[in-house]
Amino acid sequence: MWGVVFWQEIGGVIPSSADTAIKVATSGGTVIGQLGFGALADIVGRKKMYGLELMVIIFATLAQSLSSDSPAVSITGLLIFWRVIMGIGIGGDYPLSSIITSEFATTRWRGAMMGSVFAMQGIGQFVAAMVALIVTAGFKESLMSAKTVAQCGGVCGIAVDKMWRVVIGFGAVPGCVALYYRLTIPETPRYTFDVARDVEKAGEDVKAYVSGKPEGHPDEIRRVRALESDDEVLETPKASWADFYAHYSQWRYGKILLGTAGSWFLLDVAFYGLGLNNTIILTAIGYGGGTDVYEVFYNNAVGNLILVCAGAIPGYWFTVATVDVVGRKPIQLGGFTILTILFCIIGFAYNKLSAHALLGLYVLCQFFFNFGPNATTFIVPGECFPTRYRSTSHGISAASGKIGAIIAQVVFGPLRTRGAEKGAKGAAASPWLNHVMQIFAAFMFAGIFTTLLIPETKRKTLEELAGEVPGTPNYDPHHGRGPRRANDTLAGPKEIESEQKH
């Protein structure tokens, strides 16, 4: 749509350089948000950050929808600026949504709850395609006045200009609804106990949480006295750069961060790289063009709905249904293995595959991305790190993934079209696609080995995974919880688990 509105003079198609720059801007901003918000959530608390990142997303989304070019500023520059800002907000949502869900969830169904949060991506993709379909139908008469996007001026151009603003601006609506709940969510008792070291407040919050109340209210005098004495009593290490380095310089902990970050990086190279081929797949199923501008936009919206419903959404919910039964590690390991095979088939047999076979393999790839590493790389980093570095570590892992996405967009996007003749369309526009798929197979194969570095987190408490529970296989005395005063109301956040199990 941007091509039709802002690049009409060159045929209504957005230049590849501008298209890549706009896409990379979002991913670049996301990396900043994942690292920044991830660290801040460990420093100042989950509650203070949760909602702030959504405000950034809403503001940048609305600003995008109201942007227009001028003699002084190009539309490309404006969109890049606002998409970087939006990306920062989106990046902050990754670690915050994951760890808040993790720290509030019961051990038995923690994976399903975290998977459900991530599965909302599929629902969001579905709703976005539906909005695009609705606005296309709403401007049908205007769009039918032009046979091609190169001829879409006048009323057609005005219609498309309105359409893209509605499609992008509508993205702020669910955010506005969710903002109230994010701003009113209580701080997680685990953060209050382990990082803020406010034992009295954490104890009251646990009682309030299991009784369905939003927040606990401890006796303030007792709370102040407890805060003054707890530094001498609590042995859980305080977060600091020195402690962070000392913690992850140990192979037993460093390999886990390497496993989560490496798996997410390898996954996103192929995941986003495959998404660059949507046009080829839509053409293969008969939704890659049309006799007029209306049919072009209609077919594109319907085609995206088909792809999302056929592979992505079922994959997300298969993960939700099985992640607490099968386990995170087997799903991720199986996903990488199957994806390796699928990409090998696409890459080495590409020239022999029919359009329907290519579509089937594409749908299977989408399914096993989401019933596989795309979901588990979001879940595991929210569970396997100590509370004081949980958000930071999740942010590092997620940022590694987005760096992989940037590589896919900057390197493999142009590589896919290497040697293509000017004006070529369909498969002819991507002569190197088979080789790119072969490279993706190698990335998926490497993901098998990074998966071996991560622990199985199924049905284990966060404290056990962090090595804080005596008597468990991964117990680390350096992280053990210290003794408690006789009148303490909280033996640790593990009480949340026992209350929830009952």
Side-chain angles (χ1 to χ4, degrees):
M1 293 183 186
W2 283 337
V4 172
V5 176
F6 300 111
W7 284 275
Q8 188 58 229
E9 69 278 2
I10 59 171
V13 178
I14 185 171
S16 60
S17 57
D19 184 45
T20 300
I22 291 169
K23 290 177 180 176
V24 170
T26 307
S27 297
T30 302
V31 171
I32 297 171
Q34 288 164 335
L35 295 174
F37 276 96
L40 286 171
D42 279 336
I43 296 170
V44 303
R46 286 73 160 119
K47 176 180 172 62
K48 291 179 181 178
M49 290 294 103
Y50 207 44
L52 179 59
E53 94 290 0
L54 187 55
M55 291 182 193
V56 174
I57 295 172
I58 292 170
F59 180 76
T61 299
L62 293 175
Q64 270 186 92
S65 67
L66 299 173
S67 296
S68 188
D69 60 350
S70 72
V73 183
S74 71
I75 188 62
T76 305
L78 277 173
L79 291 175
I80 287 174
F81 175 80
W82 288 118
R83 287 180 81 86
V84 168
I85 302 300
M86 183 182 72
I88 291 173
I90 293 172
D93 204 61
Y94 276 78
L96 284 164
S97 291
S98 175
I99 63 171
I100 287 176
T101 305
S102 172
E103 291 179 356
F104 272 118
T106 174
T107 302
R108 186 176 183 183
W109 302 115
R110 186 176 61 232
M113 292 179 68
M114 297 175 73
S116 297
V117 170
F118 195 66
M120 290 300 107
Q121 280 194 349
I123 304 301
Q125 293 166 0
F126 176 83
V127 172
M130 284 297 300
V131 172
L133 182 61
I134 291 169
V135 296
T136 299
F139 289 98
K140 180 178 180 179
E141 298 299 325
S142 298
L143 296 176
M144 291 180 69
S145 65
K147 294 298 181 184
T148 65
V149 292
Q151 301 170 348
C152 187
V155 295
C156 178
I158 293 173
V160 177
D161 195 22
K162 293 177 181 177
M163 286 167 59
W164 79 261
R165 296 179 192 278
V166 172
V167 170
I168 289 183
F170 188 82
V173 175
C176 291
V177 175
L179 184 59
Y180 167 79
Y181 297 99
R182 294 200 175 192
L183 294 177
T184 56
I185 194 170
E187 182 59 86
T188 68
R190 284 187 168 93
Y191 180 86
T192 306
F193 180 88
D194 275 337
V195 183
R197 297 178 172 234
D198 191 343
V199 176
E200 300 296 332
K201 175 64 174 169
E204 293 300 318
D205 282 349
V206 169
K207 293 177 181 178
Y209 175 63
V210 297
S211 62
K213 298 177 182 178
E215 188 175 4
H217 300 283
D219 180 89
E220 290 301 323
I221 295 177
R222 184 181 174 188
R223 181 184 181 187
V224 171
R225 289 176 178 169
L227 285 170
E228 291 175 349
S229 62
D230 275 346
D231 277 347
E232 302 174 1
V233 180
L234 299 179
E235 294 180 358
T236 304
K238 280 188 175 181
S240 66
W241 286 112
D243 179 67
F244 182 88
Y245 176 78
H247 180 74
Y248 285 113
S249 62
Q250 300 176 65
W251 175 243
R252 63 182 295 189
Y253 301 120
K255 71 175 183 179
I256 298 174
L257 183 59
L258 178 63
T260 57
S263 296
W264 211 330
F265 170 80
L266 296 168
L267 160 75
D268 273 10
V269 171
F271 182 76
Y272 284 88
L274 185 66
L276 297 174
N277 305 305
N278 279 5
T279 301
I280 296 173
I281 302 302
L282 292 177
T283 301
I285 61 176
Y287 288 94
T291 57
D292 54 42
V293 175
Y294 167 74
E295 281 197 10
V296 170
F297 286 128
Y298 176 86
N299 286 340
N300 186 266
V302 173
N304 283 326
L305 279 171
I306 293 172
L307 295 181
V308 169
C309 293
I313 291 179
Y316 282 120
W317 292 103
F318 262 76
T319 298
V320 172
T322 61
V323 70
D324 285 310
V325 179
V326 177
R328 288 70 154 153
K329 198 168 181 177
I331 290 176
Q332 183 166 311
L333 198 60
F336 272 128
T337 302
I338 294 172
L339 287 166
T340 301
I341 297 170
L342 291 173
F343 278 116
C344 281
I345 294 172
I346 297 174
F348 290 101
Y350 182 76
N351 295 321
K352 299 178 182 179
L353 294 172
S354 65
H356 290 92
L358 185 62
L359 171 62
L361 289 168
Y362 178 89
V363 170
L364 285 174
C365 284
Q366 288 292 340
F367 179 84
F368 284 106
F369 270 131
N370 296 305
F371 179 44
N374 194 37
T376 54
T377 51
F378 176 83
I379 294 171
V380 174
E383 302 176 303
C384 61
F385 300 110
T387 306
R388 66 189 187 281
Y389 298 130
R390 186 169 292 130
S391 182
T392 302
S393 302
H394 194 289
I396 292 171
S397 301
S400 299
K402 275 298 175 287
I403 291 171
I406 292 172
I407 291 174
Q409 293 160 341
V410 174
V411 177
F412 292 107
L415 185 62
R416 172 177 56 95
T417 59
R418 182 183 178 186
E421 296 182 5
K422 190 175 181 179
K425 297 190 177 182
S430 304
W432 254 62
L433 181 59
N434 59 328
H435 299 303
V436 170
M437 295 296 110
Q438 293 164 12
I439 296 171
F440 289 165
F443 276 91
M444 295 297 93
F445 184 69
I448 296 173
F449 296 97
T450 56
T451 300
L452 298 177
L453 298 175
I454 66 172
E456 176 53 65
T457 59
K458 179 185 72 172
R459 303 286 166 87
K460 294 180 180 179
T461 68
L462 299 182
E463 290 68 44
E464 180 181 350
L465 292 166
E468 298 171 356
V469 181
T472 56
N474 55 336
Y475 173 62
D476 184 348
H478 180 64
H479 296 155
R481 303 186 180 281
R484 297 289 173 265
R485 299 178 304 278
N487 61 347
D488 273 349
T489 58
L490 182 67
K494 60 186 177 183
E495 286 201 353
I496 302 174
E497 308 290 351
S498 61
E499 289 284 355
Q500 291 170 329
K501 287 176 181 177
H502 292 300

